[in-house]
Amino acid sequence: MPTTPKEVLALAKENKTKMVDFKFVDLPGIWQHFSVPLVELSESSFEDGFGFDGSSIRGFQPIHASDMLIIPDPKTAVMDPFMTEPTLSLICNIVDPITRQAYSRDARYIAQKAESYLKSTALADTAFIGPEAEFFIFDGIKFDQSVNHGFYHIDSNEGQWNSGRDENPNLGYKPRYKEGYFPVSPTDSQQNIRSEMALVMEQVGIHVECQHHEVATAGQAEIDMKFAPLLQMGDQLMWFKYIIKNVARRHNKTATFMPKPLFEDNGSGMHVHISLWKGDKPLFAGDRYGGLSEMAIWAIGGILKHASALCAFTNPTTNSYRRLVPGFEAPINLAYSSRNRSASVRIPMYSASPKAKRLEFRTPDPSCNGYLAFSAILMAVIDGIQRRIDPGPPLDKDIYGLTPEELKNVPKAPGSLEESLAALKNDCDFLLKGDVFTQDVLDMWLDYKTENELSPIRLRPVPYEFALYFDI
């Protein structure tokens, strides 16, 4: 992979590049881009940058201060696997055109600061992140909202609800509700498309460990990436979503990372594995509970203490809380355990190797901006270690089988986006350390989520309310 502007230009020449595509992330977490002919790219472009209108990007600039610059990162250069004309892709950082300072609301910059802050603490050199992002591959989606109507309609050739549809002929083999994990084909009809997604990921340098059907009917899937340093994994998660959506489109299908698109079947989570290393030494392995070190136990304490505030970044949509419902599959009880998948923090026990020792935070979902979510989790981990936060005893019982009396002292994740934003407002000091998250970023996040998501949802009736209340 290239590391310098000169090597990027050599890569472009080697691949007969005609266009250069600049990608950067908006505050909610969607890639934005624009392209220039190759002749516009020179070594100086990696210092001078290219201008764009920051007022047109979600969560960025006001109209009276809209001019911004993108600065391509030469280490991110790869050939885009989907463009007809040979196209070089570069992920970019954002800077102010006047001060040339990095932009505080650039999520990628926040991830860079999180890594730098970790090193400055001398606790560790590297935070390795391994997300398990689930998603759905559907055959069609329709939705609309107006003054007098509102609806969504999902369709999938795999959907159990289509077992009686006239398909000329209907061949059956549709995964039953909650039984998609994981029968072979023909019940699993999407093996080939997931393999194609995984192989395209390898083309852009992502190490894929596994792909499989997930629990829900209608094409729920998971592709696992090998763990990587935080910033690198933030970049990879952006490629991950981009590739999955574009390969789905190649097959005239559509993919979504919406956490809970289906009623009465599993939602899509994104379990996040994290470990700290110093040099080539893993720091989370030891002789404490679950084979953890004392540092790892304190890290758990940090995650559990700040979990409600973390949810504002790890579960950042109103739809996230259709998944985080007490008594169902998502872990909402803020406890930790080895092996027990109903705990919000789990210690995976697949391997006895110290290098495999890590924490798995199971509450997050894939609707998040990975740069922000991973950075926030790391900041909670650091705070736990610095303050030696005791997470209390582990909870090794089946949490879903506990009585109300046993459960009453187990804290719960927020039940709504509104609750998680309130928690963030009241518990944000740990994020502000090292100037990783700034108050400006937190204020914009709170304002954006309230004005663009919470308030619009509050104003709109949903279909089931008519079933409940029309005859009142």
Side-chain angles (χ1 to χ4, degrees), residues 137-204:
I137 304 169
F138 294 135
D139 288 281
I141 174 70
K142 296 186 292 183
F143 51 89
D144 195 15
Q145 177 78 57
S146 186
V147 171
N148 67 323
H149 79 270
F151 79 95
Y152 68 89
H153 184 271
I154 295 168
D155 204 9
S156 168
N157 293 332
E158 263 204 6
Q160 176 64 207
W161 61 81
N162 280 325
S163 60
R165 183 173 67 178
D166 187 359
E167 295 181 348
N168 299 313
N170 189 323
L171 301 177
Y173 295 114
K174 302 180 190 299
R176 286 180 285 270
Y177 298 114
K178 297 184 180 294
E179 293 188 25
Y181 187 90
F182 29 47
V184 299
S185 61
T187 302
D188 176 5
S189 68
Q190 297 182 347
Q191 168 73 8
N192 289 334
I193 191 171
R194 292 194 309 272
S195 290
E196 183 177 335
M197 290 168 175
L199 293 174
V200 174
M201 288 178 194
E202 290 185 351
Q203 290 178 32
V204 301

Side-chain angles (χ1 to χ4, degrees), residues 423-471:
L424 175 63
K425 192 172 184 180
N426 293 323
D427 178 24
C428 61
D429 288 348
F430 74 101
L431 296 170
L432 298 172
K433 290 181 179 180
D435 201 39
V436 174
F437 286 79
T438 62
Q439 193 62 52
D440 171 71
V441 167
L442 298 180
D443 290 344
M444 173 52 72
W445 187 260
L446 292 167
D447 290 346
Y448 182 89
K449 288 289 173 178
T450 300
E451 294 175 12
N452 294 280
E453 299 178 30
L454 279 180
S455 294
I457 289 291
R458 284 194 190 108
L459 291 169
R460 287 163 170 79
V462 299
Y464 195 62
E465 287 179 308
F466 287 85
L468 291 172
Y469 306 128
F470 188 76
D471 61 347

Side-chain angles (χ1 to χ4, degrees), residues 40-350:
E40 295 295 317
L41 186 72
S42 65
E43 288 189 48
S44 64
S45 300
F46 293 86
E47 292 184 8
D48 299 337
F50 295 83
F52 72 99
D53 176 8
S55 68
S56 297
I57 304 299
R58 298 184 303 171
F60 275 22
Q61 290 294 89
I63 191 72
H64 63 273
S66 59
D67 289 352
M68 302 294 290
L69 288 175
I70 56 103
I71 304 294
D73 183 343
K75 296 177 182 178
T76 66
V78 294
M79 298 304 295
D80 191 300
F82 296 104
M83 299 301 106
T84 302
E85 299 294 343
T87 299
L88 179 73
S89 175
L90 286 158
I91 301 175
C92 303
N93 293 321
I94 314 299
V95 302
D96 185 284
I98 298 173
T99 66
R100 305 293 297 190
Q101 295 296 308
Y103 185 43
S104 67
R105 298 179 193 173
D106 177 7
R108 191 168 191 266
Y109 175 51
I110 292 171
Q112 290 169 322
K113 288 192 290 182
E115 287 191 323
S116 295
Y117 177 65
L118 174 64
K119 291 177 182 177
S120 76
T121 65
L123 294 173
D125 299 327
T126 308
F128 283 110
I129 303 291
E132 300 176 16
E134 298 168 344
F135 56 97
F136 280 89
I137 304 169
F138 294 135
D139 288 281
I141 174 70
K142 296 186 292 183
F143 51 89
D144 195 15
Q145 177 78 57
S146 186
V147 171
N148 67 323
H149 79 270
F151 79 95
Y152 68 89
H153 184 271
I154 295 168
D155 204 9
S156 168
N157 293 332
E158 263 204 6
Q160 176 64 207
W161 61 81
N162 280 325
S163 60
R165 183 173 67 178
D166 187 359
E167 295 181 348
N168 299 313
N170 189 323
L171 301 177
Y173 295 114
K174 302 180 190 299
R176 286 180 285 270
Y177 298 114
K178 297 184 180 294
E179 293 188 25
Y181 187 90
F182 29 47
V184 299
S185 61
T187 302
D188 176 5
S189 68
Q190 297 182 347
Q191 168 73 8
N192 289 334
I193 191 171
R194 292 194 309 272
S195 290
E196 183 177 335
M197 290 168 175
L199 293 174
V200 174
M201 288 178 194
E202 290 185 351
Q203 290 178 32
V204 301
I206 295 174
H207 183 148
V208 174
E209 290 189 321
C210 178
Q211 64 90 346
H212 60 84
H213 204 289
E214 257 298 340
V215 172
T217 190
Q220 191 182 34
E222 179 176 315
I223 300 176
D224 295 334
M225 297 177 279
K226 183 180 176 64
F227 64 86
L230 189 152
L231 177 65
Q232 181 183 335
M233 184 53 74
D235 290 343
Q236 288 187 184
L237 185 61
M238 300 305 299
W239 273 113
F240 181 91
K241 292 183 177 183
Y242 178 77
I243 289 168
I244 285 168
K245 291 174 183 178
N246 278 283
V247 171
R249 182 161 183 152
R250 273 182 184 171
H251 293 263
N252 202 31
K253 296 179 185 290
T254 186
T256 182
F257 293 89
M258 191 174 175
K260 188 70 173 178
L262 296 182
F263 170 57
E264 291 194 322
D265 210 337
N266 280 36
S268 292
M270 187 179 76
H271 307 151
V272 178
H273 298 251
I274 183 168
S275 63
L276 299 186
W277 291 55
K278 181 169 283 190
D280 59 358
K281 179 184 178 183
L283 302 179
F284 277 4
D287 59 2
R288 299 286 296 274
Y289 174 82
L292 295 178
S293 65
E294 190 171 46
M295 174 185 279
I297 296 292
W298 293 332
I300 293 172
I303 291 174
L304 295 180
K305 179 174 179 59
H306 299 299
S308 293
L310 289 178
C311 284
F313 291 111
T314 62
N315 304 80
T317 67
T318 59
N319 186 253
S320 298
Y321 300 88
R322 312 295 187 206
R323 170 180 168 262
L324 295 180
V325 177
F328 290 87
E329 78 277 2
I332 58 97
N333 295 291
L334 301 179
Y336 72 100
S337 175
S338 65
R339 305 183 68 180
N340 189 343
R341 293 173 183 267
S342 59
S344 60
V345 176
R346 186 175 77 98
I347 301 100
M349 303 298 288
Y350 297 119

